[in-house]
Amino acid sequence: MLDQNTSAQLKTLLERLESPIELVATLDDSDKSAKIKELVEEIAALSPQVTARFDGNNARVPSFGIAKAGEQPRVFFAGLPMGHEFTSLILALLQTSGYAPKVSDEVLTQIKALNLSSHFDVFVSLSCHNCPDVVQALNLIAIYNPGTTATMIDGAFFQEEVEQRKIMAVPMVFQDGNHIGQGRMTLEEIVAKLDTDAASKDAAKLNAKEAFDVLVIGGGPAGNTSAIYAARKGIRTGIVAERMGGQVMDTMDIENFTSIQKTQGPKFAAEMEAHVREYDVDIMNLQKVSAIKGADETANGLVEVTLENGATLESKTVILSTGARWREMNVPGEAEYRTRGVAYCPHCDGPLFKGKRVAVIGGGNSGVEAAIDLAGIVEHVTLVEFDTKLRADQVLQNKLNSLPNITVITNALSTEVIGDGAQVTALKYKDRATDVEHTVELAGIFVQIGLLPNTDFLKASKVELTNRGEIMINERNETNVKGVFAAGDCTTVPYKQIIIATGEGAKASLSAFDYIIRSGQ
């Protein structure tokens, strides 16, 4: 099961175990059980601190749990935690033994104070780069809450259950059988969801903060770079982020950031955040801005930022770097069948449509790349493009045209998502040349039609936006509002690329510092 290099690396890591642990497997006579038994035996053979038992009584078969010696398992894997989930397995082994997790004391205290007694199930696919964070978060919560269990369920291992529960997006999380969330979620997000007093406690802390020199709104590449450049000037700097990392967290491969030949979005985001934390930056994560007032609109001449939890922050300058989100089709049925056949991440959710027929909406690079990736998993892909031709790079079009199970339809307007009440069954589109409407029977629709700026909260402000919702800025990243700057994908700067966003973040920060100096604040 484990190759020689992986076994050697795991053996070294298991030397860090703080106390003896047990692997308790629940098996039957199936081939899947045989694979789990093989993995459990191989792990147990790597350390005298690990023992294996095969008398488990978990309701989900096959599976195995991890427990401190003498205790009952609280962390379970229903499937083989390989691929992206191998790290989840390693951390579960170490943390169950008592090895300290790499989280802040504040978060760990919050986890222990949850006092939970719940059973969490998280459905994953092993190709999902968003799933491990959720699995690892729930495992940690189970380890520090004795009445709680967490189970990772590989959808490929339990296909019947996936079909019964109509799971068409991962990660999908259930608490005591009730659906509580899906998609990428950080440990902090999950803890905040479970801690009912989190919002009021956060508001009180935030209201007590002194005014900032530079307050960055957004935790993506532009925002992180802005914060670094500001903090290096020795001025009071803060970041308010709905999610540290921003949209980069949902990006699979990054191959065009100078000096980094290839990396993955979550890794890139983690390294950005680590870089920011090297400086004296006040990071306020999981906070959403609801309103902003410029320096000319307040009595004290400071920019005022109001958060959704009711807290108010003040700063001499604010840099808006809220990024963008996936554009939706905005057709009947899309919202109703989101996560039930309508998806936005082919890497994460593609394996759930193995052997089925799907559509990809969008003929740009993202859409064509998605169609190519999905063609290796599903029975057939129909690519639907609004324009009269595809807009993707020619090298991608050449690859697309070489695949036998892809049909390309151009000059087509998607008009409706059809379903049976439980899941998607078809897509309707109109031929723009003839106005004739067609229906394609399928099980999944992957929407890849570009980005929308995250600027809805600015519509009631004096910040000038384009008709597309982009923040209008000049060459110094200044908006029309005094003390307010902007950078990245939420602005009018063309070419929405990570490397451009980082450069714009640096420019915005330097402009904000110059404003502070010149205004004598």
Side-chain angles (χ1 to χ4, degrees):
M1 182 65 63
L2 302 175
D3 61 41
Q4 189 172 356
N5 287 337
T6 304
S7 292
Q9 291 170 2
L10 184 54
K11 184 175 183 178
T12 300
L13 288 168
L14 291 177
E15 292 173 2
R16 302 180 187 179
L17 290 172
E18 294 286 332
S19 63
I21 60 172
E22 291 182 329
L23 306 182
V24 184
T26 303
L27 307 175
D28 55 21
D29 296 329
S30 66
D31 290 340
K32 292 175 182 176
S33 285
K35 290 177 180 177
I36 285 182
K37 183 179 182 184
E38 181 183 353
L39 177 63
V40 167
E41 288 176 335
E42 287 185 12
I43 295 170
L46 296 175
S47 171
Q49 294 265 68
V50 183
T51 55
R53 289 175 23 213
F54 301 96
D55 57 353
N57 58 2
N58 191 27
R60 195 170 274 103
V61 184
S63 64
F64 70 96
I66 304 172
K68 266 190 179 180
E71 296 183 4
Q72 292 299 313
R74 298 202 292 274
V75 173
F76 293 91
F77 292 93
L80 291 168
M82 307 303 286
H84 288 298
E85 292 298 345
F86 191 62
T87 301
S88 301
L89 170 62
I90 293 170
L91 290 175
L93 294 167
L94 294 175
Q95 291 168 0
T96 298
S97 79
Y99 187 84
K102 291 184 178 180
V103 300
S104 69
D105 292 340
E106 184 180 4
V107 171
L108 193 56
T109 299
Q110 195 177 1
I111 290 172
K112 293 175 180 177
L114 287 173
N115 253 348
L116 272 180
S117 182
S118 288
H119 301 290
F120 292 98
D121 290 332
V122 53
F123 286 82
V124 307
S125 67
L126 298 185
S127 63
C128 169
H129 62 287
N130 289 328
C131 294
D133 280 357
V134 177
V135 172
Q136 292 161 27
L138 293 173
N139 287 349
L140 196 59
I141 290 168
I143 288 168
Y144 284 96
N145 285 266
T148 294
T149 64
T151 304
M152 181 217 83
I153 305 164
D154 178 5
F157 251 60
F158 292 87
Q159 195 66 43
E160 280 189 24
E161 188 173 359
V162 166
E163 296 284 348
Q164 288 169 1
R165 294 208 194 191
K166 308 298 182 187
I167 292 168
M168 294 185 169
V170 291
M172 184 78 74
V173 182
F174 295 85
Q175 180 182 11
D176 299 326
N178 299 311
H179 173 251
I180 64 165
Q182 73 277 328
R184 186 179 186 87
M185 293 181 283
T186 64
L187 172 63
E188 291 82 1
E189 287 173 310
I190 293 171
V191 172
K193 185 185 287 283
L194 299 173
D195 185 352
T196 53
D197 294 328
S200 59
K201 287 186 288 189
D202 281 349
K205 288 179 185 176
L206 293 165
N207 275 327
K209 292 183 182 291
E210 296 178 6
F212 293 91
D213 292 309
V214 174
L215 182 61
V216 180
I217 312 300
N224 281 310
T225 306
S226 293
I228 290 169
Y229 268 71
R232 285 175 62 87
K233 296 292 186 182
I235 56 180
R236 181 164 162 71
T237 305
I239 288 186
V240 172
E242 192 171 348
R243 179 177 67 159
M244 285 299 285
Q247 196 194 10
V248 168
M249 296 288 278
D250 301 321
T251 302
M252 188 60 180
D253 291 329
I254 298 171
E255 297 177 321
N256 55 356
F257 195 93
T258 309
S259 83
I260 300 175
Q261 291 186 13
K262 185 173 183 178
T263 187
Q264 292 184 323
K267 181 182 178 184
F268 186 85
E271 289 172 349
M272 278 196 305
E273 183 175 345
H275 194 171
V276 173
R277 291 186 182 277
E278 288 291 313
Y279 297 93
D280 187 16
V281 176
D282 189 344
I283 298 176
M284 294 159 276
N285 196 17
L286 307 183
Q287 303 299 332
K288 191 170 183 179
V289 175
S290 60
I292 184 171
K293 289 182 180 179
D296 288 339
E297 301 174 75
T298 61
N300 58 8
L302 296 175
V303 183
E304 183 180 282
V305 174
T306 303
L307 307 182
E308 276 199 349
N309 61 15
T312 299
L313 300 170
E314 293 180 326
S315 183
K316 294 176 183 177
T317 61
V318 162
I319 299 173
L320 301 169
S321 55
T322 48
R325 64 190 182 276
W326 289 115
R327 186 186 297 273
E328 298 176 356
M329 293 186 290
N330 291 319
V331 299
E334 180 180 18
E336 181 184 354
Y337 290 103
R338 186 175 293 118
T339 75
R340 294 191 293 163
V342 176
Y344 301 87
C345 180
H347 300 291
C348 301
D349 301 334
L352 300 174
F353 295 85
K354 184 177 181 180
K356 298 179 180 179
R357 302 178 73 85
V358 303
V360 171
I361 312 300
N365 283 350
S366 295
V368 172
E369 286 173 350
I372 292 168
D373 290 344
L374 289 165
I377 302 170
V378 304
E379 178 188 339
H380 185 271
V381 180
T382 300
L383 190 150
V384 180
E385 165 57 31
F386 179 82
D387 204 347
T388 55
K389 60 183 179 181
L390 301 182
R391 294 165 286 107
D393 296 342
Q394 192 58 49
V395 65
L396 293 174
Q397 293 192 45
N398 293 343
K399 175 64 176 176
L400 182 82
N401 294 331
S402 72
L403 298 173
N405 61 335
I406 296 179
T407 299
V408 176
I409 300 172
T410 57
N411 206 22
L413 173 65
S414 301
T415 57
E416 187 177 359
V417 174
I418 306 296
D420 59 8
Q423 62 193 56
V424 168
T425 58
L427 169 72
K428 279 189 177 181
Y429 73 89
K430 182 185 291 185
D431 186 319
R432 295 175 59 221
T434 63
D435 274 347
V436 174
E437 198 161 58
H438 302 269
T439 300
V440 182
E441 294 186 359
L442 40 71
I445 300 168
F446 290 83
V447 184
Q448 303 280 289
I449 53 175
L451 302 171
L452 277 177
N454 294 318
T455 57
D456 291 347
F457 71 100
L458 294 172
K459 289 178 181 176
S461 75
K462 292 186 177 180
V463 176
E464 189 174 358
L465 307 176
T466 67
N467 57 6
R468 296 180 57 197
E470 295 176 329
I471 302 168
M472 295 188 69
I473 58 172
N474 63 15
E475 70 279 0
R476 297 176 64 87
N477 293 81
E478 295 170 318
T479 71
N480 64 306
V481 175
K482 185 178 179 182
V484 179
F485 301 79
D489 287 3
C490 63
T491 73
T492 49
V493 168
Y495 312 121
K496 312 305 185 187
Q497 298 289 312
I498 294 170
I499 198 163
I500 292 173
T502 55
E504 289 295 304
K507 278 175 57 187
S509 191
L510 293 172
S511 293
F513 180 71
D514 188 58
Y515 167 87
I516 293 170
I517 297 298
R518 291 177 183 274
S519 62
Q521 289 188 326

